[in-house]
Amino acid sequence: MTFIEHCHGQTLDEILYLCREFSEDPAYPTVKKWREAGGKVVGHFQVYFPEEIVHAAGMLPVKVTGAQLEGMGAESHFGSYLCSVIKTSLELSMSKNLELDMFVSHPICDAARNLAAIWGRNFSYKSQILYLPQNPNSNHSIEYLCNEYDRLKQDIESVAGRKVSEDDLRRSIAVYNESRGWMKELYDIKRESPWQIDAEDAYALVAMAGFLPREEHNTLMRIVLPLIHDRSRYAQDKMRVVFEGGFCEQPPIDLIQTIGRSCYLVDDDLLIGLRYILDDVPVTGDPLLQLATAYIKNSSYSPVQHDLRKPKEKMLLQRFRNARADAVILAAAKMCEPGLEEQVAYSKALDEHNIPYFISEFEENQNTFDHISIQLETFVENLIFQ
């Protein structure tokens, strides 16, 4: 049974509940169904990955974002002072919760730089590294990335057992262009009428794109978004906040729900890799070149992309203003060097513009939220009554 079949006859609240349940399930039941039907799976680590190439080969791209797991055999493969998501991502495959046919990582930090090598020592399938441009401002960055995508495509073809044609890629780009449109509409709702959808439900809807076939996710959004628009809900007197710090390791859904009790979460960088390309990618011309151009010239930002045209402090200020927010939550995963380093630059920029902000740390295995709830409520009350 596909996820959409699970949703048949369900109310909006029931569908959103299913999304939360499936997005938190470390057993990946929809991926297991795909494999049982004879499909192959390519896992990719954070942040951005051109899923269109895998999709064009007829395989399922799965965004590996760690999980809340008990028992960590993967601990023995890493040093102590590393972020949780590196360890739990490997644990997902070692425990056979997530079985893959290929894995792709990115050298986004010192820990992730070695992930593909560690993965390759423990599994017989291909473990590859995708080298996104370190200097996207170079005149040669698009040409370089196009060649890198072509190299990746050859490995994907060898796993899929078939060639990927330009027409295959164009069809996949069209599917993902539709998905980009649905994602934009969801975030428009978050910004314009955030009372229409709870923060944790919006997050779960996006997270589903990380492991569902993208056509199926498009169908889900096509069903759900009109129902969200038509909801009879009223605005509450809540502060509008932007969440910054969810580009790699993801906070637990319960933490997002905790924030939503006190504030409207009107924009964020949660799972930003699934929304990284900002507009439609042209379906004409060389598809790999179009994907490479979109990444270099028409993408979002994160602490692991170093682009002089997109200073991250200015991009955060732009996100804050576009969302008409009242404050910013600056979060970072524990032991995340890129995230913690950016907090310094972000807080300095927010201070210079007299924008209130709340600093916090999180971990994906976190299971108590009373302290952050009290701190956040105190922060909000201080702003209201100052």
Side-chain angles (χ1 to χ4, degrees):
M1 181 183 292
T2 66
F3 182 79
I4 293 300
E5 289 170 337
H6 277 287
C7 295
H8 283 162
Q10 304 289 330
T11 66
L12 174 60
D13 287 339
E14 289 167 338
I15 293 172
L16 293 174
Y17 173 79
L18 283 173
C19 289
R20 293 196 302 272
E21 290 293 297
F22 273 72
S23 63
E24 288 189 292
D25 190 343
Y28 285 90
T30 59
V31 179
K32 282 185 168 61
K33 288 288 184 184
W34 176 274
R35 289 184 63 85
E36 288 168 3
K40 293 183 177 180
V41 180
V42 176
H44 59 91
F45 191 65
Q46 300 275 39
V47 174
Y48 171 72
F49 179 80
E51 289 191 344
E52 291 91 337
I53 303 174
V54 173
H55 181 275
M59 298 192 289
L60 178 66
V62 172
K63 193 168 188 63
V64 182
T65 60
Q68 290 187 309
L69 295 170
E70 295 180 5
M72 289 286 289
E75 289 273 4
S76 62
H77 298 270
F78 297 97
S80 300
Y81 299 104
L82 294 177
C83 59
S84 174
V85 67
I86 292 284
K87 302 171 185 177
T88 59
S89 292
L90 181 64
E91 182 69 23
L92 279 170
S93 285
M94 292 183 67
S95 62
K96 297 191 181 301
N97 277 295
L98 180 61
E99 295 188 79
L100 305 174
D101 298 282
M102 179 177 174
F103 176 72
V104 183
S105 185
H106 317 277
I108 60 172
C109 64
D110 286 344
R113 182 176 58 189
N114 300 310
L115 186 57
I118 294 171
W119 212 285
R121 293 193 195 108
N122 288 278
F123 302 100
S124 59
Y125 51 77
K126 282 181 178 289
S127 295
Q128 184 58 270
I129 299 174
L130 173 62
Y131 293 95
L132 297 170
Q134 288 294 306
N135 180 16
N137 304 121
S138 165
N139 292 332
H140 304 286
S141 60
I142 293 176
E143 179 187 2
Y144 161 81
L145 185 55
C146 185
N147 291 332
E148 186 70 0
Y149 284 173
D150 188 59
R151 179 185 67 83
L152 177 68
K153 179 172 75 74
Q154 293 174 45
D155 273 334
I156 288 169
E157 288 172 333
S158 70
V159 174
R162 52 161 287 195
K163 288 290 184 180
V164 175
S165 70
E166 289 193 349
D167 284 339
D168 291 331
L169 284 165
R170 291 186 187 106
R171 282 189 289 270
S172 294
I173 288 171
V175 170
Y176 277 76
N177 282 344
E178 181 185 348
S179 179
R180 282 182 266 274
W182 294 123
M183 296 282 195
K184 281 186 195 174
E185 185 173 339
L186 176 61
Y187 269 73
D188 285 344
I189 294 172
K190 282 167 62 78
R191 281 187 289 269
E192 301 303 323
S193 49
W195 52 88
Q196 290 293 86
I197 183 165
D198 295 333
E200 66 273 17
D201 291 334
Y203 175 84
L205 276 174
V206 174
M208 296 294 291
F211 51 84
L212 281 185
R214 195 52 65 102
E215 293 91 340
E216 191 173 345
H217 188 263
N218 286 345
T219 301
L220 171 65
M221 298 292 268
R222 200 178 299 126
I223 293 169
V224 167
L225 290 183
L227 297 176
I228 294 171
H229 281 295
D230 292 341
R231 260 178 166 174
S232 296
R233 281 186 161 190
Y234 297 98
Q236 299 179 31
D237 187 18
K238 287 184 178 181
M239 182 171 292
R240 298 168 61 93
V241 300
V242 164
F243 182 98
E244 192 80 15
F247 63 95
C248 185
E249 183 171 328
Q250 298 299 293
I253 283 187
D254 287 345
L255 175 56
I256 298 170
Q257 185 178 47
T258 298
I259 294 170
R261 291 195 188 106
S262 301
C263 313
Y264 283 133
L265 189 54
V266 291
D267 205 349
D268 56 68
D269 66 343
L270 298 166
L271 293 170
I272 192 65
L274 292 172
R275 306 179 283 117
Y276 211 69
I277 305 301
L278 298 176
D279 293 302
D280 284 358
V281 177
V283 293
T284 56
D286 181 341
L288 291 182
L289 180 62
Q290 297 287 20
L291 286 170
T293 302
Y295 176 81
I296 297 297
K297 293 189 173 182
N298 195 24
S299 60
S300 186
Y301 69 99
S302 82
V304 298
Q305 186 194 44
H306 308 290
D307 191 333
L308 297 177
R309 298 164 300 181
K310 298 185 290 186
K312 288 175 277 293
E313 307 93 299
K314 291 184 178 179
M315 299 302 289
L316 173 57
L317 292 172
Q318 182 178 322
R319 173 174 280 160
F320 173 84
R321 291 167 182 144
N322 289 347
R324 304 187 308 282
D326 302 306
V328 176
I329 296 176
L330 290 180
K334 291 183 179 178
M335 306 293 177
C336 175
E337 289 185 12
L340 290 166
E341 285 175 359
E342 289 302 330
Q343 277 191 342
V344 177
Y346 287 149
S347 58
K348 181 180 179 182
L350 294 173
D351 281 334
E352 289 173 352
H353 289 82
N354 296 314
I355 296 171
Y357 58 92
F358 174 82
I359 292 181
S360 181
E361 278 189 338
F362 65 84
E363 190 172 27
E364 60 187 357
N365 280 322
Q366 189 175 341
N367 53 28
T368 58
F369 307 97
D370 291 343
H371 66 291
I372 192 170
S373 177
I374 293 170
Q375 291 171 354
L376 187 56
E377 287 174 6
T378 302
F379 170 75
V380 170
E381 288 173 1
N382 284 341
L383 292 179
I384 291 173
F385 296 113
Q386 67 181 4

